Amino acid sequence: MRNRLRELRSERGWSQAELGLRLDVSRQSVNAIETGKYDPSLPLVFRIARIFELPIESIFSDEATG
């Protein structure tokens, strides 16, 4: 799954650690999601969308569909 997490985080000037605190996950988890090494759970995807005030589809996309 592809995502825009790093881009959105950078636009807000947040570190991985700060975003992790906002999401209640570790900095390492944020890094793993950003690099595509970990696909977040559905509840975490919803929290990410709420924090960035964006629809899930504008943050995450299926690699097959781009």
Side-chain angles (χ1 to χ4, degrees):
M1 178 169 24
R2 302 177 75 173
N3 69 74
R4 298 178 48 222
L5 197 57
R6 179 175 291 156
E7 171 190 341
L8 295 169
R9 178 180 58 76
S10 293
E11 286 173 1
R12 286 155 181 80
W14 298 343
S15 67
Q16 288 180 338
E18 185 172 356
L19 179 57
L21 286 173
R22 292 172 185 264
L23 294 171
D24 197 27
V25 300
S26 69
R27 179 203 62 77
Q28 292 86 349
S29 292
V30 172
N31 179 268
I33 295 167
E34 286 183 354
T35 58
K37 294 177 182 169
Y38 171 73
D39 287 337
S41 67
L42 192 55
L44 181 53
V45 167
F46 277 100
R47 286 200 312 266
I48 292 168
R50 273 194 300 271
I51 283 175
F52 289 109
E53 300 179 335
L54 292 169
I56 292 169
E57 298 84 7
S58 71
I59 303 171
F60 296 94
S61 63
D62 182 7
E63 289 183 27
T65 60

